[in-house]
Amino acid sequence: MVEYNDLIFEISRPGRVGYSLPKSDVESVDLQEKLPKHLIRDEEEAADLPEVSELQLVRHYTALSNKNHGIDNGFYPLGSCTMKYNPKINEDIARLPGFSRIHPYQQAETTQGAFELLYNLQEELAVITGMDAISLQPSAGAQGEWTGLMMVRAYHEQKGESRNKVLVPDSAHGTNPASASVAGFDTATIPSDENGLVDLEELKKHVDSDTAALMLTNPNTLGLFETEIEEIAKVVHDAGGLLYYDGANANAILGKTTPGAMGFDIVHLNLHKTFTTPHGGGGPGAGPVGVKEDLIPYLPVPRIEKDGESYVLNSDYPLSIGRVKGYHGNFGILVRAYTYIRTMGAEGLSEVSEGAVLHANYLRKRLEEHFESPYKQLCKHEFVLSGSRQKKLGVRTLDMAKRLLDFGYHPPTIYFPLNVEEGLMIEPTETESKETMDAFADAMIQIAKEVEENPGIVLEAPHTTVVGRLDEVQAARKPIVRYTKEKDAQKKKDTVKA
Amino acid sequence: MNLVVTLTESALDKLKTTEIKEEQYPRIDADIAGGCGISVKFTLVFDEPRRNDSVIEYDGIQIHIDLFTKRYLDEETQIDYNDEQGFLVGESFASSACAIELH
């Protein structure tokens, strides 16, 4: 099966095809003769497509998929990403022909069922977030952030105010300051206090008449709930700023509290995290945005509304920031999230956050004596450890992450948040069993012991994966991102020589 | 890999006049920031020896580098110093792979 470790271009052979067509019943023509010369590509210009049989193609991609690590084949405790199980019923429903075989350009009368689902999802997400209206358009969290910030801008401009500063705590998601910059704002970082929470005094120093909004992730990326949330909201609102809630960590608060109850004006959710739609590999995701009443006029259009017994698209919102995504968002993902919400119900969603918090605290307690634990209080859905103790012994967090691969685990998020030295951000999620968490904890504890007793095994890890430690320096400094025939030929020559 | 570390005159002057605590040595350290891809920034710090350190001597000064940092350094690394930015070490880099955190 060695050949299936090769690139598809390397197993290609001239003339091999992966299809069969019936014999043509019309006479063949020579295109070289019939077409003008300038339309005929010579060999050098021709698209260099691989030529393989159907079976080779199937084996090649199946082999590739087997090398991938996903939630269906292993524990994936990637902090902040909520890599929980994606129930298969979501897939069943999303594949129903009434959802999968419709087109967004169909007449609205013929897609009422799909519109009803989108409308209901909007209503349910509004309840879950404590907001007054939802747009399902944004295609993922960062686009949700940008959409929210564009509404912040439109809101202040409509009031005749020019506010250019967005405040972001250092424990926020990295996308927050990036989204603020893309939306044209200046950002100011609010440092955390010794407990890992927003330093209220620092916040007060930064808030002024130029403050457009505060973007807060709650619980933050340390997995800690902002206990002074009401005071934080008051400080920003009193200065005329808006409060933006990054709901990427909503898995910890479902059915317990809402951003609306905390005083927030805008929120985005990551359906691909909290609401079990698949993610990884770049998407697609979904990042619906919710707003309080004052901001409804600025929501993206068209909006899906109910008119009597029918569902309609309404673009009659002159202050809207416009459309932010083609059609109605990533519809297939929205169907999966709606299925999850309906199958779980309100009580089920509340149990989700209880499970997520219980699991994170269980794992934290099992690991805290083996690694530095900078924040000792109860956490929410995730927690952060530091590899600073191991660093003193010459082993880094990245080495330990690589060693985890040998045990079949995807490593946690590492070196984030930035305010923790050699950070390991672990989020087990509610969908894992105690046995899985115990086995992961045992692996982490073994690695901590190896660092002390046999560091070489950690420093040279991974040992059991298809490829060993990659040369990340070379990859970053001299990346080769495109296959060319010449390089393939050179590689074959080198192989022969070796 | 044979690692060559050179110090500019200003870096050497600064190192020779810096008071370093007992049991501490100058160290080239890889400072990593993650979240979405990783970036590696090289810094000069003063701390205790680590178990798998390589020690490079330059004009009487012992510079420590741990195995992890050594992997990321270029073969030739220069240390410079100026009053505004402090010590500047080698060429930092960022990985463009957004594989660690999906947001």
Side-chain angles (χ1 to χ4, degrees):
Chain A
M1 288 297 171
V2 172
E3 72 179 281
Y4 301 108
N5 284 323
D6 290 343
L7 297 177
I8 194 157
F9 294 100
E10 292 167 343
I11 57 175
S12 169
R13 294 293 177 272
R16 191 167 286 168
V17 293
Y19 61 87
S20 61
L21 296 174
K23 200 173 176 187
S24 175
D25 57 359
V26 295
E27 200 179 327
S28 294
V29 291
D30 186 352
L31 290 177
Q32 302 275 356
E33 282 177 16
K34 296 284 179 193
L35 290 175
K37 282 238 173 335
H38 72 278
L39 293 179
I40 298 170
R41 286 188 283 193
D42 61 28
E43 204 172 305
E44 274 186 23
E45 292 169 325
D48 191 13
L49 299 175
E51 298 174 84
V52 293
S53 71
E54 181 176 326
L55 181 56
Q56 284 182 307
L57 186 82
V58 168
R59 283 184 180 159
H60 176 75
Y61 284 108
T62 305
L64 271 186
S65 72
N66 285 340
K67 286 173 192 153
N68 200 10
H69 186 93
I71 197 68
D72 283 356
N73 59 349
F75 187 43
Y76 209 136
L78 200 58
S80 171
C81 292
T82 313
M83 302 300 289
K84 60 173 160 178
Y85 177 61
N86 311 134
K88 297 305 169 221
I89 190 172
N90 296 356
E91 300 301 318
D92 288 346
I93 301 299
R95 283 168 170 76
L96 289 174
F99 293 132
S100 63
R101 295 194 179 174
I102 52 173
H103 193 281
Y105 280 159
Q106 275 179 232
Q107 294 296 310
E109 309 84 80
T110 67
T111 54
Q112 284 293 298
F115 281 3
E116 183 179 357
L117 180 145
L118 294 174
Y119 180 83
N120 288 347
L121 180 58
Q122 287 177 175
E123 295 292 296
E124 288 177 3
L125 293 179
V127 173
I128 287 168
T129 55
M131 292 285 139
D132 295 317
I134 299 278
S135 168
L136 300 173
Q137 277 188 29
S139 56
Q143 201 196 11
E145 291 170 26
W146 176 82
T147 302
L149 288 160
M150 293 304 282
M151 286 192 277
V152 167
R153 178 176 292 289
Y155 170 85
H156 289 306
E157 280 176 359
Q158 181 62 21
K159 286 175 66 181
E161 291 184 5
S162 171
R163 290 171 177 255
N164 293 306
K165 189 166 64 174
V166 169
L167 308 177
V168 184
D170 61 5
S171 58
H173 282 121
T175 46
N176 288 184
S179 298
S181 292
V182 173
F185 290 103
D186 299 324
T187 59
T189 304
I190 310 298
S192 301
D193 63 17
E194 67 279 5
N195 295 315
L197 304 174
V198 170
D199 188 322
L200 209 49
E201 292 311 309
E202 283 292 328
L203 176 68
K204 285 176 185 167
K205 277 187 216 162
H206 282 83
V207 170
D208 57 25
S209 59
D210 193 33
T211 301
L214 167 74
M215 296 181 83
L216 198 73
T217 308
N218 193 25
N220 64 24
T221 48
L222 296 163
L224 305 175
F225 193 86
E226 296 288 349
T227 49
E228 300 294 326
I229 193 70
E230 286 176 331
E231 181 64 15
I232 291 170
K234 186 173 182 314
V235 168
V236 176
H237 276 158
D238 284 353
L242 292 170
L243 281 145
Y244 184 96
Y245 191 101
D246 181 327
N249 292 343
N251 213 42
I253 61 159
L254 288 176
K256 300 297 172 191
T257 183
T258 68
M262 294 179 221
F264 281 75
D265 305 293
I266 309 175
V267 56
H268 87 259
L269 293 168
N270 301 66
L271 301 189
H272 46 284
K273 296 184 180 181
T274 313
F275 297 93
T276 67
T277 72
H279 68 304
V289 170
V291 293
K292 282 285 180 66
E293 196 173 3
D294 286 355
L295 286 140
I296 290 178
Y298 309 101
L299 277 170
V301 288
R303 297 191 53 211
I304 293 165
E305 294 175 344
K306 197 168 183 185
D307 182 13
E309 290 303 305
S310 303
Y311 298 91
V312 294
L313 293 173
N314 186 357
S315 294
D316 190 17
Y317 288 91
L319 296 178
S320 163
I321 62 165
R323 185 188 272 282
V324 299
K325 172 89 172 75
Y327 307 128
H328 314 301
N330 284 330
F331 178 67
I333 296 299
L334 301 173
V335 175
R336 288 169 174 85
Y338 182 69
T339 306
Y340 177 69
I341 292 169
R342 293 301 301 269
T343 50
M344 295 301 286
E347 267 185 38
L349 291 179
S350 187
E351 285 172 13
V352 161
S353 51
E354 288 169 18
V357 172
L358 179 66
H359 286 194
N361 280 287
Y362 175 72
L363 208 45
R364 182 176 66 84
K365 289 304 279 184
R366 278 219 57 195
L367 294 174
E368 70 178 359
E369 67 179 270
H370 303 278
F371 297 86
E372 286 302 313
S373 176
Y375 303 103
K376 305 234 182 279
Q377 65 264 53
L378 278 176
C379 64
K380 290 298 173 199
H381 64 303
E382 65 189 356
F383 61 101
V384 175
L385 298 173
S386 165
S388 57
R389 198 186 297 172
Q390 287 75 20
K391 183 181 178 181
K392 285 181 186 147
L393 298 171
V395 178
R396 297 295 191 91
T397 286
L398 185 61
D399 298 316
M400 294 191 282
K402 298 282 185 196
R403 179 67 177 138
L404 268 174
L405 300 177
D406 288 332
F407 294 84
Y409 299 118
H410 192 290
T413 297
I414 53 172
Y415 297 100
F416 195 83
L418 304 179
N419 52 352
V420 174
E421 184 188 12
E422 298 286 315
L424 286 145
M425 189 159 83
I426 301 172
E427 179 179 9
T429 85
E430 76 285 358
T431 58
E432 297 297 336
S433 66
K434 181 174 179 293
E435 289 78 12
T436 299
M437 288 193 294
D438 278 336
F440 174 75
D442 290 344
M444 288 285 287
I445 293 165
Q446 182 178 324
I447 293 170
K449 279 187 185 145
E450 286 172 352
V451 170
E452 289 172 14
E453 296 161 9
N454 182 18
I457 200 168
V458 185
L459 291 165
E460 298 304 323
H463 305 276
T464 61
T465 48
V466 179
V467 290
R469 183 142 348 179
L470 301 173
D471 187 341
E472 287 163 85
V473 182
Q474 184 86 342
R477 290 189 171 143
K478 293 176 189 164
I480 301 168
V481 293
R482 191 169 70 88
Y483 169 85
T484 62
K485 247 183 186 167
E486 296 73 43
K487 280 181 186 142
D488 184 36
Q490 188 57 45
K491 187 181 155 192
K492 279 180 183 154
K493 251 193 224 170
D494 294 345
T495 312
V496 172
K497 273 185 209 162
Chain B
M1 167 174 99
N2 264 340
L3 197 63
V4 178
V5 175
T6 55
L7 279 81
T8 61
E9 210 168 301
S10 56
L12 194 59
D13 286 347
K14 184 66 187 173
L15 266 183
K16 283 187 169 170
T17 53
T18 301
E19 243 179 67
I20 304 171
K21 283 184 198 161
E22 208 177 318
E23 292 298 307
Q24 288 201 338
Y25 296 88
R27 164 185 302 285
I28 296 176
D29 213 17
D31 196 5
I32 304 174
C36 191
I38 58 163
S39 66
V40 179
K41 191 180 166 207
F42 299 105
T43 55
L44 193 87
V45 297
F46 300 95
D47 70 2
E48 287 89 29
R50 292 175 196 161
R51 201 164 40 185
N52 50 29
D53 276 346
S54 299
V55 180
I56 291 177
E57 194 151 319
Y58 188 92
D59 205 0
I61 296 175
Q62 286 191 343
I63 298 166
H64 287 235
I65 304 169
D66 71 12
L67 181 63
F68 183 90
T69 304
K70 200 173 162 186
R71 276 183 174 148
Y72 285 88
L73 278 174
D74 275 335
E75 279 180 41
E76 290 180 25
T77 301
Q78 190 185 64
I79 303 175
D80 193 10
Y81 176 83
N82 66 56
D83 288 336
E84 289 80 42
Q85 296 164 289
F87 287 103
L88 299 165
V89 184
E91 198 185 327
S92 303
F93 67 90
S95 150
S96 58
C98 187
I100 295 179
E101 184 190 5
L102 247 190
H103 188 75

